[in-house]
């Protein structure tokens, strides 16, 4: 049996079971008896680490939730968090949710049993009620949480984000400044904060410059290479195809470039591209070497994001910022890096 299963049997939250273990006065006598009955009936022996769960955490482990360990952006987050965690002598317990909500829910349930010191999380969806409920319950027992990159519902905690909407607007304006009028986008997952905000930035830039977004010019991606490849093929197969594409994630960009090469399109001649998030040069260079240009993109301060997140968590753990103090929301700026793939196509190809 686990504390979560005991809570389900008693019809209460795991936090309430924890309060019973801690002899909290916040639990009514009736609720307390229901919990004790379940404990006795199933011969539940609590993990010793739960003995003072709401007051202290004896392990030195930090939980880190990432959505996709194949993605170099999230690999960098792990590296940055680990570097600061090492400084404070913490161990990292890594959870790779692989963009699967059910896995995220299961991992959050497991957090109850692991007696973590704190949690850094990049959630999958910005609107997942079950994950949000788990986080509220963890907060009730005093587990500090820091969100990175993505929000989740109305849950408020310390967080580190980047200005994705504003910087996506600037990225699309770089394409407009290069002479493009027919600009399409392959979005990130629209259930996530980055997916929503990068699409919003694209739409704001097009509206600001009074440019129409034709039907079919917005393809929804999912931060994966395959979807990027398929979306680019559909865009460039339109009767009136775009002359430039703003891709809203690194793997989306990579998939789009692969599709272009496979179908004989040359970036800088047949199509222009500006992506979001860095891709290793060895990945994009073979796809662009025939055009003699580099990949233009929005570069995020990924290491700073990771390090700031771990420092925020450490402040909560050590009590420099207790649970009653206002949450800190750090908003970092991204950098537009122009290497040539955004260049203007000839006026003949950029008609309309």
């Amino acid at each position: 049996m686990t504390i979560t299963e005991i809570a389900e049997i008693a019809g209460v939250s795991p936090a309430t079971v924890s309060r019973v273990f801690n002899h909290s006065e916040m639990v009514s006598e009736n609720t307390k008896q229901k919990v004790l009955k379940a404990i006795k009936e199933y011969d539940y022996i609590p993990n010793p680490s739960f003995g003072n769960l709401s007051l202290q955490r004896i392990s030195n482990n930090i939980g880190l939730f990432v959505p996709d360990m194949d993605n170099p952006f999230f690999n960098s987050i792990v590296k940055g968090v680990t570097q600061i965690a090492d400084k404070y002598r913490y161990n990292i317990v890594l959870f790779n949710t692989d963009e699967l909500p059910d896995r995220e829910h299961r991992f959050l349930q497991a957090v109850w049993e692991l007696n973590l010191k704190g949690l850094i999380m990049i959630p999958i969806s910005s609107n997942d009620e079950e994950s949000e409920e788990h986080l509220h319950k963890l907060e009730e027992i005093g587990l500090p949480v820091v969100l990175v990159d993505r929000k989740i519902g109305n849950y408020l905690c310390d967080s580190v984000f980047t200005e994705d909407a504003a910087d996506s607007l600037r990225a699309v304006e770089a394409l407009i400044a290069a002479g493009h009028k027919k600009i399409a986008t392959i979005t990130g997952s629209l259930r996530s904060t980055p997916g929503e905000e990068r699409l919003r930035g694209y739409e704001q830039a097009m509206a600001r410059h009074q440019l129409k977004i034709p039907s079919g010019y917005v393809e929804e991606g999912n931060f994966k290479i395959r979807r990027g490849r398929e979306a680019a093929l559909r865009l460039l197969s339109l009767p009136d195809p775009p002359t430039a594409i703003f891709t809203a994630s690194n793997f989306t960009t990579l998939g789009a470039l692969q599709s272009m090469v496979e179908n004989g399109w040359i970036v800088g001649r047949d199509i222009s591209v500006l992506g979001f998030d860095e891709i290793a040069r060895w990945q994009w260079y073979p796809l662009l070497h025939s055009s003699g240009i580099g990949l233009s993109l929005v570069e995020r301060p990924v290491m700073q994001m990771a390090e700031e997140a771990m420092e925020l968590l450490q402040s909560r753990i050590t009590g420099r910022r207790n649970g009653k103090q206002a949450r800190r929301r750090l908003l970092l700026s991204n950098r537009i890096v122009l290497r040539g793939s955004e260049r203007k196509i000839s006026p003949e190809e950029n008609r309309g």
Side-chain angles (χ1 to χ4, degrees):
M1 297 295 291
T2 67
I3 190 173
T4 303
E5 289 169 326
I6 287 294
E8 290 175 355
I9 292 165
V12 299
S13 71
T16 300
V17 178
S18 169
R19 292 191 188 104
V20 172
F21 290 152
N22 294 325
H23 310 291
S24 171
E25 295 180 359
M26 295 174 64
V27 183
S28 70
E29 185 61 28
N30 182 52
T31 299
K32 178 181 176 181
Q33 291 306 317
K34 286 196 296 183
V35 172
L36 292 175
K37 180 182 178 182
I39 290 171
K40 182 177 180 180
E41 184 176 347
Y42 288 90
D43 295 322
Y44 177 65
I45 301 174
N47 185 321
S49 64
F50 283 108
N52 206 13
L53 189 60
S54 64
L55 300 177
Q56 64 176 340
R57 297 184 172 273
I58 60 175
S59 82
N60 231 29
N61 297 333
I62 300 296
L64 175 58
F65 277 53
V66 295
D68 184 1
M69 277 305 296
D70 289 334
N71 191 310
F73 174 81
F74 298 121
N75 271 311
S76 295
I77 290 288
V78 173
K79 182 178 180 181
V81 167
T82 301
Q83 285 180 351
I84 303 301
D86 282 348
K87 183 174 75 171
Y88 296 117
R89 313 300 293 173
Y90 293 128
N91 309 309
I92 297 297
V93 180
L94 184 62
F95 300 86
N96 176 28
T97 59
D98 204 26
E99 301 283 4
L100 298 172
D102 287 346
R103 184 180 292 184
E104 180 176 274
H105 302 157
R106 179 161 50 86
F107 287 167
L108 281 169
Q109 193 105 342
V111 166
W112 283 93
E113 314 301 328
L114 294 176
N115 192 34
L116 299 175
K117 204 97 171 183
L119 179 65
I120 295 175
M121 182 177 182
I122 305 174
I124 294 171
S125 171
S126 61
N127 187 28
D128 187 317
E129 292 182 358
E130 184 168 342
S131 288
E132 185 179 358
E133 183 181 355
H134 276 297
L135 291 175
H136 281 298
K137 290 177 178 178
L138 291 172
E139 185 179 41
E140 286 179 10
I141 61 166
L143 183 81
V145 178
V146 176
L147 294 184
V148 180
D149 186 42
R150 305 179 184 184
K151 304 172 188 175
I152 183 165
N154 295 314
Y155 180 66
L156 296 176
C157 65
D158 294 323
S159 56
V160 182
F161 302 126
T162 54
E163 297 185 289
D164 284 8
D167 293 324
S168 293
L169 184 152
R170 292 198 298 131
V172 175
E173 286 190 324
L175 291 169
I176 295 170
H180 295 284
K181 297 179 180 178
K182 298 190 295 182
I183 304 170
T185 187
I186 307 173
T187 74
S189 169
L190 295 182
R191 66 183 178 181
S192 72
T193 310
E196 294 171 341
E197 294 200 348
R198 292 169 199 174
L199 174 59
R200 181 156 56 90
Y202 162 80
E203 292 173 337
Q204 288 175 341
M206 297 294 280
R208 176 180 289 184
H209 293 270
Q210 299 180 320
L211 296 176
K212 291 188 295 184
I213 302 176
S215 175
Y217 267 39
V218 177
E219 281 279 348
E220 183 175 352
N222 63 353
F223 300 122
K224 302 289 187 180
I225 292 174
R226 180 177 178 180
R227 184 74 69 86
R229 184 190 297 120
E230 294 168 346
L233 180 60
R234 286 192 292 271
L235 287 171
L236 293 171
S237 299
L238 290 171
D240 187 22
T243 64
I245 302 176
F246 171 56
T247 50
S249 82
N250 49 8
F251 272 7
T252 301
T253 306
L254 194 56
L257 292 176
Q258 288 176 357
S259 179
M260 292 166 191
V261 170
E262 289 164 4
N263 290 279
W265 297 304
I266 296 178
V267 175
R269 186 194 70 183
D270 306 311
I271 188 68
S272 295
V273 176
L274 199 156
F276 209 106
D277 279 343
E278 186 65 270
I279 304 173
R281 189 175 187 275
W282 64 265
Q283 290 179 297
W284 61 255
Y285 178 76
L287 302 172
L288 294 180
H289 73 278
S290 63
S291 61
I293 59 178
L295 179 63
S296 299
L297 49 81
V298 181
E299 181 182 72
R300 287 196 285 174
V302 57
M303 292 299 288
Q304 183 184 0
M305 293 173 69
E307 292 168 0
E308 295 280 11
M310 188 60 233
E311 291 289 1
L312 284 176
L313 188 63
Q314 172 65 359
S315 293
R316 292 289 180 186
I317 291 171
T318 58
R320 294 202 302 272
R321 296 185 61 78
N322 62 45
K324 296 180 180 180
Q325 289 178 292
R327 273 64 170 173
R328 291 187 62 195
R329 182 176 185 268
L330 302 184
L331 192 60
L332 307 180
S333 294
N334 304 303
R335 187 167 70 102
I336 310 295
V337 181
L338 301 180
R339 300 187 179 119
S341 66
E342 85 295 344
R343 67 177 287 277
K344 180 181 178 180
I345 298 173
S346 66
E348 291 76 19
E349 293 174 285
N350 195 33
R351 65 189 182 282

